[in-house]
Amino acid sequence: IADRVFNPPPLEMIYMLLLISFREWAVKLRLKQTTADIERYFVGIVRKTVEHREKNNISRPDCLQLLMQLKNKGTIEEDEEDSKKIITMKDVIAQAFLFFFGGFETSSKALSFALFELAYNQEIQDKAREEVQRVLAKHDGLLTYEALKDMVYVEQIVHDRLRKFAPIGQIFRVANEPYEIRKPDFTLEKGTIVMIPIHSIHHDPVIYPDPSRFDLDRFTAEAVNARPSQSFLPFGHGPRNCIGMRFALLEVKFGIAQLVSRLRFTVNEKTQLPLQYDPKVNVATALGGLWLDVERI
């Protein structure tokens, strides 16, 4: 089911683009972005899980539990009084689907491309392994949240990988009010849909010299502060940025640290070099796949 969500057939992608472009008509005609069987699958999973928890008085420290509290009480704080502003079961299902859609394929692709870069750049892989082993020794061998925060070099790897191979090549935003742009002189009218070309910004040689090169110096503290914040957009930016950004960064760092501390990666001859994107997939995917050889240290 997940594969069908992230890799729809070409005609379905065109259909989705039309839905985005003509939202008012799509709403009036009650058109759906997902097919009926996919909708039934996700609606059924979330609804059954919520009903099971409520029936058996099960509470877990996760996102779904917070959504259930908003549905039942209108607040996520235990000591606050119930609010009249509660969310519906449809809202719970929609948010759960959004969390899944936003963090499933993108995080795995981020880790895959990062491992490819380490396999292709052995010197960087060795330095990453040295940092991981040094930090783990400092934290009694435990890969804790604090230990991951100390892995600055690994974080630079993740960031330049997200710059070079952004999981999503573009994002769409809607102007909530008229907005004047100075250069060129232009006004975005309210309701205008704007496509922000993330891939093109990340590969702009004015912002990132020699953009096709994997260069961790782009993400030193000094280099980051010297650039406009909007020049790095793997998670979007502003109040509508990806809600799972911090979790995703933590997840990918954790994966790299776990793997390079135990394994050495090299590029297998099946990998097509130089890498090219698969044009049939809407999440950044290497044409022919990423093939790596793995050796236990």
Side-chain angles (χ1 to χ4, degrees):
I1 291 290
D3 187 58
R4 289 181 55 199
V5 172
F6 289 100
N7 302 309
L11 285 177
E12 201 168 304
M13 292 177 67
I14 294 172
Y15 170 74
M16 290 168 62
L17 184 60
L18 289 173
L19 288 185
I20 293 171
S21 302
F22 302 99
R23 294 175 65 194
E24 289 185 11
W25 280 104
V27 172
K28 289 178 181 178
L29 295 173
R30 304 186 71 178
L31 300 178
K32 297 183 178 182
Q33 187 168 332
T34 55
T35 58
D37 59 330
I38 291 177
E39 181 180 333
R40 283 195 300 269
Y41 179 82
F42 279 99
V43 168
I45 279 184
V46 178
R47 192 182 296 279
K48 287 178 182 177
T49 304
V50 170
E51 289 174 355
H52 176 72
R53 290 191 187 185
E54 292 181 344
K55 181 180 178 181
N56 297 280
N57 198 26
I58 296 172
S59 179
R60 291 180 178 169
D62 59 20
C63 172
L64 185 58
Q65 195 68 38
L66 298 179
L67 291 171
M68 289 169 58
Q69 287 176 230
L70 288 174
K71 178 178 75 74
N72 297 329
K73 298 179 58 179
T75 176
I76 59 174
E77 301 297 337
E78 295 291 347
D79 55 349
E80 283 189 9
E81 293 184 5
D82 291 3
S83 171
K84 293 181 180 179
K85 295 181 179 180
I86 61 175
I87 64 174
T88 67
M89 189 63 193
K90 282 187 177 181
D91 294 325
V92 173
I93 293 168
Q95 291 300 324
F97 179 77
L98 181 65
F99 267 66
F100 174 82
F101 188 83
F104 181 82
E105 188 82 351
T106 50
S107 296
S108 64
K109 285 295 194 301
L111 181 57
S112 298
F113 276 104
L115 291 175
F116 164 77
E117 290 291 358
L118 294 178
Y120 193 73
N121 299 277
Q122 287 294 315
E123 183 180 349
I124 294 177
Q125 184 179 162
D126 290 339
K127 287 183 179 180
R129 185 174 294 108
E130 290 171 6
E131 180 186 66
V132 170
Q133 292 172 342
R134 183 177 66 254
V135 171
L136 286 177
K138 178 182 172 183
H139 290 268
D140 300 322
L142 300 175
L143 196 53
T144 61
Y145 176 74
E146 289 72 21
L148 287 170
K149 283 178 63 177
D150 286 347
M151 296 181 187
V152 178
Y153 193 74
V154 172
E155 185 162 299
Q156 288 175 258
I157 291 171
V158 176
H159 281 161
D160 202 45
R161 174 263 166 269
L162 289 170
R163 177 203 63 83
K164 188 176 176 183
F165 300 108
I168 305 297
Q170 68 282 321
I171 54 176
F172 294 89
R173 293 292 182 264
V174 179
N176 287 332
E177 57 187 55
Y179 185 83
E180 292 184 4
I181 298 174
R182 298 281 179 84
K183 295 181 180 179
D185 188 13
F186 182 73
T187 299
L188 286 173
E189 299 297 338
K190 182 178 179 179
T192 303
I193 299 175
V194 181
M195 187 190 80
I196 302 167
I198 296 174
H199 179 85
S200 298
I201 294 171
H202 286 186
H203 287 77
D204 187 337
V206 175
I207 305 172
Y208 300 103
D210 194 6
S212 61
R213 184 164 59 93
F214 190 57
D215 183 3
L216 305 193
D217 288 339
R218 303 184 202 274
F219 288 94
T220 61
E222 296 78 15
V224 171
N225 291 332
R227 289 192 300 268
S229 60
Q230 294 85 356
S231 59
F232 183 60
L233 300 168
F235 301 99
H237 201 270
R240 295 289 182 183
N241 73 337
C242 176
I243 195 170
M245 177 180 70
R246 288 176 178 81
F247 174 73
L249 289 172
L250 195 71
E251 189 177 26
V252 177
K253 283 180 68 176
F254 181 86
I256 292 173
Q258 283 276 27
L259 292 167
V260 301
S261 63
R262 295 170 168 81
L263 307 168
R264 180 179 300 280
F265 295 87
T266 53
V267 180
N268 185 278
E269 60 183 11
K270 290 183 181 180
T271 300
Q272 299 178 23
L273 298 175
L275 290 184
Q276 295 182 14
Y277 284 126
D278 187 338
K280 297 179 181 178
V281 183
N282 57 4
V283 178
T285 303
L287 190 64
L290 292 169
W291 297 83
L292 304 180
D293 291 324
V294 185
E295 178 187 358
R296 188 180 297 277
I297 295 174

Short mmCIF file of all heavy atoms in Angstrom, two decimals, residues 186-217:
data_model
loop_
_atom_site.label_atom_id
_atom_site.label_comp_id
_atom_site.label_asym_id
_atom_site.label_seq_id
_atom_site.Cartn_x
_atom_site.Cartn_y
_atom_site.Cartn_z
N PHE A 186 6.65 42.37 -8.84
CA PHE A 186 5.55 41.45 -9.10
C PHE A 186 4.74 41.27 -7.83
O PHE A 186 5.29 41.30 -6.72
CB PHE A 186 6.12 40.10 -9.56
CG PHE A 186 5.08 39.07 -9.92
CD1 PHE A 186 4.34 39.17 -11.09
CD2 PHE A 186 4.85 37.99 -9.08
CE1 PHE A 186 3.40 38.22 -11.42
CE2 PHE A 186 3.90 37.03 -9.41
CZ PHE A 186 3.17 37.16 -10.58
N THR A 187 3.45 41.08 -7.96
CA THR A 187 2.58 40.85 -6.80
C THR A 187 1.91 39.49 -6.91
O THR A 187 1.26 39.19 -7.91
CB THR A 187 1.50 41.94 -6.69
OG1 THR A 187 2.12 43.21 -6.53
CG2 THR A 187 0.61 41.66 -5.48
N LEU A 188 2.09 38.69 -5.88
CA LEU A 188 1.39 37.42 -5.79
C LEU A 188 0.00 37.70 -5.23
O LEU A 188 -0.13 38.18 -4.11
CB LEU A 188 2.13 36.45 -4.86
CG LEU A 188 3.41 35.79 -5.37
CD1 LEU A 188 4.07 35.02 -4.24
CD2 LEU A 188 3.11 34.87 -6.53
N GLU A 189 -1.02 37.42 -6.00
CA GLU A 189 -2.37 37.67 -5.54
C GLU A 189 -2.81 36.58 -4.55
O GLU A 189 -2.31 35.45 -4.57
CB GLU A 189 -3.34 37.71 -6.72
CG GLU A 189 -3.04 38.81 -7.73
CD GLU A 189 -3.16 40.21 -7.13
OE1 GLU A 189 -3.86 40.36 -6.10
OE2 GLU A 189 -2.56 41.14 -7.69
N LYS A 190 -3.72 36.93 -3.67
CA LYS A 190 -4.25 35.96 -2.71
C LYS A 190 -4.83 34.75 -3.44
O LYS A 190 -5.55 34.88 -4.42
CB LYS A 190 -5.35 36.63 -1.86
CG LYS A 190 -5.94 35.70 -0.80
CD LYS A 190 -6.99 36.43 0.03
CE LYS A 190 -7.59 35.50 1.07
NZ LYS A 190 -8.61 36.17 1.92
N GLY A 191 -4.49 33.56 -2.93
CA GLY A 191 -4.98 32.33 -3.53
C GLY A 191 -4.07 31.76 -4.60
O GLY A 191 -4.31 30.66 -5.09
N THR A 192 -3.00 32.49 -4.96
CA THR A 192 -2.08 32.01 -5.99
C THR A 192 -1.29 30.80 -5.47
O THR A 192 -0.76 30.83 -4.36
CB THR A 192 -1.09 33.11 -6.41
OG1 THR A 192 -1.82 34.24 -6.88
CG2 THR A 192 -0.15 32.61 -7.51
N ILE A 193 -1.22 29.74 -6.27
CA ILE A 193 -0.42 28.58 -5.91
C ILE A 193 1.01 28.80 -6.41
O ILE A 193 1.23 29.12 -7.57
CB ILE A 193 -1.00 27.29 -6.53
CG1 ILE A 193 -2.41 27.05 -6.01
CG2 ILE A 193 -0.11 26.09 -6.22
CD1 ILE A 193 -3.10 25.86 -6.66
N VAL A 194 1.97 28.66 -5.51
CA VAL A 194 3.38 28.90 -5.83
C VAL A 194 4.15 27.59 -5.73
O VAL A 194 4.04 26.87 -4.74
CB VAL A 194 4.00 29.93 -4.87
CG1 VAL A 194 5.46 30.20 -5.23
CG2 VAL A 194 3.20 31.22 -4.88
N MET A 195 4.90 27.24 -6.77
CA MET A 195 5.78 26.09 -6.71
C MET A 195 7.19 26.55 -6.38
O MET A 195 7.75 27.39 -7.09
CB MET A 195 5.79 25.31 -8.02
CG MET A 195 6.56 24.00 -7.91
SD MET A 195 6.86 23.18 -9.48
CE MET A 195 8.25 24.11 -10.11
N ILE A 196 7.76 26.02 -5.31
CA ILE A 196 9.10 26.39 -4.89
C ILE A 196 10.05 25.27 -5.31
O ILE A 196 9.94 24.14 -4.82
CB ILE A 196 9.16 26.61 -3.37
CG1 ILE A 196 8.15 27.71 -2.99
CG2 ILE A 196 10.56 26.98 -2.91
CD1 ILE A 196 7.87 27.81 -1.52
N PRO A 197 10.99 25.55 -6.24
CA PRO A 197 11.85 24.50 -6.81
C PRO A 197 13.04 24.18 -5.90
O PRO A 197 14.14 24.70 -6.07
CB PRO A 197 12.31 25.12 -8.14
CG PRO A 197 12.34 26.59 -7.85
CD PRO A 197 11.24 26.87 -6.86
N ILE A 198 12.83 23.29 -4.95
CA ILE A 198 13.87 22.96 -3.96
C ILE A 198 15.14 22.45 -4.64
O ILE A 198 16.26 22.89 -4.33
CB ILE A 198 13.34 21.92 -2.96
CG1 ILE A 198 12.17 22.49 -2.16
CG2 ILE A 198 14.44 21.44 -2.02
CD1 ILE A 198 11.50 21.49 -1.25
N HIS A 199 14.98 21.50 -5.56
CA HIS A 199 16.16 20.92 -6.22
C HIS A 199 16.99 21.99 -6.92
O HIS A 199 18.22 22.00 -6.82
CB HIS A 199 15.71 19.85 -7.22
CG HIS A 199 16.84 19.21 -7.96
ND1 HIS A 199 17.55 18.14 -7.45
CD2 HIS A 199 17.41 19.51 -9.16
CE1 HIS A 199 18.50 17.80 -8.31
NE2 HIS A 199 18.42 18.60 -9.35
N SER A 200 16.31 22.91 -7.62
CA SER A 200 17.04 23.96 -8.34
C SER A 200 17.76 24.90 -7.39
O SER A 200 18.89 25.33 -7.66
CB SER A 200 16.06 24.74 -9.22
OG SER A 200 15.48 23.89 -10.19
N ILE A 201 17.13 25.24 -6.27
CA ILE A 201 17.77 26.11 -5.29
C ILE A 201 18.99 25.43 -4.69
O ILE A 201 20.06 26.03 -4.54
CB ILE A 201 16.77 26.50 -4.18
CG1 ILE A 201 15.65 27.38 -4.75
CG2 ILE A 201 17.47 27.21 -3.02
CD1 ILE A 201 14.50 27.62 -3.80
N HIS A 202 18.86 24.15 -4.38
CA HIS A 202 19.98 23.39 -3.77
C HIS A 202 21.14 23.18 -4.75
O HIS A 202 22.25 22.85 -4.31
CB HIS A 202 19.48 22.03 -3.29
CG HIS A 202 18.66 22.11 -2.05
ND1 HIS A 202 18.21 20.99 -1.38
CD2 HIS A 202 18.20 23.17 -1.34
CE1 HIS A 202 17.53 21.36 -0.31
NE2 HIS A 202 17.50 22.69 -0.28
N HIS A 203 20.87 23.33 -6.05
CA HIS A 203 21.93 23.13 -7.04
C HIS A 203 22.27 24.44 -7.76
O HIS A 203 22.85 24.42 -8.85
CB HIS A 203 21.51 22.06 -8.05
CG HIS A 203 21.53 20.68 -7.48
ND1 HIS A 203 20.55 20.20 -6.65
CD2 HIS A 203 22.44 19.68 -7.61
CE1 HIS A 203 20.84 18.95 -6.30
NE2 HIS A 203 21.97 18.61 -6.85
N ASP A 204 21.96 25.55 -7.13
CA ASP A 204 22.31 26.86 -7.68
C ASP A 204 23.80 27.13 -7.38
O ASP A 204 24.17 27.26 -6.20
CB ASP A 204 21.44 27.94 -7.04
CG ASP A 204 21.64 29.31 -7.67
OD1 ASP A 204 22.71 29.53 -8.28
OD2 ASP A 204 20.74 30.15 -7.55
N PRO A 205 24.65 27.23 -8.40
CA PRO A 205 26.09 27.42 -8.15
C PRO A 205 26.42 28.75 -7.47
O PRO A 205 27.51 28.88 -6.89
CB PRO A 205 26.71 27.35 -9.55
CG PRO A 205 25.58 27.63 -10.49
CD PRO A 205 24.34 27.13 -9.83
N VAL A 206 25.52 29.72 -7.53
CA VAL A 206 25.75 30.99 -6.83
C VAL A 206 25.67 30.76 -5.32
O VAL A 206 26.44 31.34 -4.54
CB VAL A 206 24.72 32.05 -7.28
CG1 VAL A 206 24.90 33.33 -6.46
CG2 VAL A 206 24.87 32.34 -8.76
N ILE A 207 24.75 29.91 -4.90
CA ILE A 207 24.57 29.62 -3.47
C ILE A 207 25.52 28.51 -3.01
O ILE A 207 26.15 28.61 -1.95
CB ILE A 207 23.11 29.20 -3.19
CG1 ILE A 207 22.14 30.26 -3.68
CG2 ILE A 207 22.91 28.94 -1.69
CD1 ILE A 207 20.68 29.84 -3.62
N TYR A 208 25.63 27.47 -3.84
CA TYR A 208 26.47 26.31 -3.51
C TYR A 208 27.44 26.05 -4.67
O TYR A 208 27.09 25.34 -5.62
CB TYR A 208 25.61 25.06 -3.27
CG TYR A 208 24.62 25.19 -2.15
CD1 TYR A 208 23.26 25.40 -2.40
CD2 TYR A 208 25.02 25.09 -0.81
CE1 TYR A 208 22.35 25.51 -1.38
CE2 TYR A 208 24.11 25.20 0.22
CZ TYR A 208 22.78 25.41 -0.07
OH TYR A 208 21.87 25.52 0.96
N PRO A 209 28.64 26.63 -4.62
CA PRO A 209 29.62 26.39 -5.70
C PRO A 209 29.87 24.90 -5.90
O PRO A 209 29.93 24.13 -4.96
CB PRO A 209 30.88 27.11 -5.18
CG PRO A 209 30.36 28.16 -4.23
CD PRO A 209 29.15 27.54 -3.58
N ASP A 210 30.01 24.52 -7.19
CA ASP A 210 30.21 23.11 -7.55
C ASP A 210 29.15 22.25 -6.88
O ASP A 210 29.45 21.35 -6.08
CB ASP A 210 31.61 22.65 -7.15
CG ASP A 210 32.01 21.32 -7.80
OD1 ASP A 210 31.24 20.83 -8.65
OD2 ASP A 210 33.05 20.77 -7.42
N PRO A 211 27.88 22.48 -7.18
CA PRO A 211 26.77 21.87 -6.44
C PRO A 211 26.70 20.34 -6.50
O PRO A 211 26.13 19.71 -5.61
CB PRO A 211 25.52 22.49 -7.07
CG PRO A 211 25.96 22.97 -8.41
CD PRO A 211 27.39 23.36 -8.27
N SER A 212 27.27 19.73 -7.54
CA SER A 212 27.20 18.27 -7.65
C SER A 212 28.20 17.56 -6.73
O SER A 212 28.14 16.35 -6.57
CB SER A 212 27.44 17.84 -9.10
OG SER A 212 28.73 18.23 -9.53
N ARG A 213 29.11 18.34 -6.13
CA ARG A 213 30.12 17.74 -5.24
C ARG A 213 29.57 17.61 -3.82
O ARG A 213 28.89 18.50 -3.32
CB ARG A 213 31.39 18.61 -5.23
CG ARG A 213 32.54 18.04 -4.40
CD ARG A 213 33.84 18.76 -4.77
NE ARG A 213 33.75 20.19 -4.52
CZ ARG A 213 34.14 20.78 -3.39
NH1 ARG A 213 34.68 20.07 -2.41
NH2 ARG A 213 34.03 22.08 -3.25
N PHE A 214 29.86 16.48 -3.18
CA PHE A 214 29.47 16.26 -1.79
C PHE A 214 30.51 16.94 -0.92
O PHE A 214 31.65 16.49 -0.83
CB PHE A 214 29.42 14.75 -1.52
CG PHE A 214 28.80 14.37 -0.21
CD1 PHE A 214 27.51 14.77 0.12
CD2 PHE A 214 29.50 13.60 0.71
CE1 PHE A 214 26.93 14.40 1.33
CE2 PHE A 214 28.93 13.23 1.92
CZ PHE A 214 27.64 13.63 2.23
N ASP A 215 30.13 18.03 -0.27
CA ASP A 215 31.09 18.88 0.46
C ASP A 215 30.50 19.25 1.81
O ASP A 215 29.59 20.06 1.91
CB ASP A 215 31.38 20.14 -0.36
CG ASP A 215 32.43 21.03 0.29
OD1 ASP A 215 32.96 20.64 1.35
OD2 ASP A 215 32.70 22.11 -0.26
N LEU A 216 31.07 18.67 2.87
CA LEU A 216 30.53 18.90 4.21
C LEU A 216 30.84 20.29 4.74
O LEU A 216 30.17 20.76 5.67
CB LEU A 216 31.07 17.84 5.17
CG LEU A 216 30.85 16.38 4.76
CD1 LEU A 216 31.14 15.45 5.93
CD2 LEU A 216 29.44 16.15 4.25
N ASP A 217 31.84 20.96 4.15
CA ASP A 217 32.16 22.31 4.61
C ASP A 217 31.03 23.29 4.32
O ASP A 217 31.02 24.40 4.88
CB ASP A 217 33.45 22.81 3.93
CG ASP A 217 34.68 22.09 4.46
OD1 ASP A 217 34.61 21.54 5.58
OD2 ASP A 217 35.71 22.05 3.75
#
